[in-house]
């Protein structure tokens, strides 16, 4: 894996992460406020689920 590929992947992740707050700021804010009320275990489970989905997608792409 080259540094250029890693930088490209990071750039794409930042672009995708910025789309929702840029396009739907009110809905994003409501989601963040709701997320702040969740328990740490619930947030951790969500994070682990997202990581697993990412790993599966990465495995399918390679």
């Amino acid at each position: 894996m080259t540094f250029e590929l890693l930088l490209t992947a990071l750039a794409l992740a930042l672009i995708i992460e910025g789309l929702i707050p840029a396009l739907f700021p009110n809905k994003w804010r409501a989601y963040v406020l709701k997320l702040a009320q969740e328990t740490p275990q619930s947030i951790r489970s969500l994070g682990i689920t997202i990581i697993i989905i990412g790993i599966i997608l990465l495995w399918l792409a390679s």
Side-chain angles (χ1 to χ4, degrees):
M1 180 163 64
T2 66
F3 180 71
E4 183 178 326
L5 181 60
L6 183 63
L7 193 59
T8 301
L10 179 60
L12 286 172
L14 290 173
I15 290 167
I16 291 168
E17 286 290 325
L19 279 176
I20 300 301
L23 296 175
F24 308 104
N26 291 330
K27 289 186 179 186
W28 182 79
R29 181 179 176 178
Y31 173 73
V32 171
L33 289 173
K34 183 178 177 184
L35 186 61
Q37 297 172 354
E38 293 293 326
T39 64
Q41 182 59 37
S42 176
I43 296 170
R44 183 175 290 117
S45 296
L46 177 63
I48 291 170
T49 302
I50 292 169
I51 290 170
I52 291 170
I53 291 169
I55 290 170
I56 291 169
L57 289 173
L58 187 61
W59 177 73
L60 290 173
S62 61

